[in-house]
Amino acid sequence: MAVIGYPRVSTTDQDPQLQLEALNAAGAQRIFTDHGVSGAKAERPELDACSDHRTRARAA
């Protein structure tokens, strides 16, 4: 099974680097990152892309 990851930072001033490093260390083969997206927002484009990727991979 492929490892995919989704780091998110709430503001554009924040840096997802530590999250990215942890995902890479865990062997993530595909990473989708949202920058400046609050957890309260309904729209998270990269989370949607991650979900779509997972759905397509399961169907294959």
Side-chain angles (χ1 to χ4, degrees), residues 1 3-6 8-10 15 19 21 23-26 28-29 35 37 39 41 51-53 55 57-58 60:
M1 179 188 305
V3 176
I4 58 175
Y6 173 70
R8 176 187 59 84
V9 290
S10 299
D15 186 355
Q19 295 176 56
E21 289 172 7
L23 287 167
N24 284 317
Q29 298 165 331
H35 293 90
V37 178
K41 289 187 178 181
S51 180
D52 290 344
H53 175 76
T55 299
R58 284 186 163 188

Side-chain angles (χ1 to χ4, degrees), residues 42-54:
E43 292 184 15
R44 298 183 196 171
E46 289 298 304
L47 180 59
D48 293 339
C50 181
S51 180
D52 290 344
H53 175 76
R54 184 173 174 238

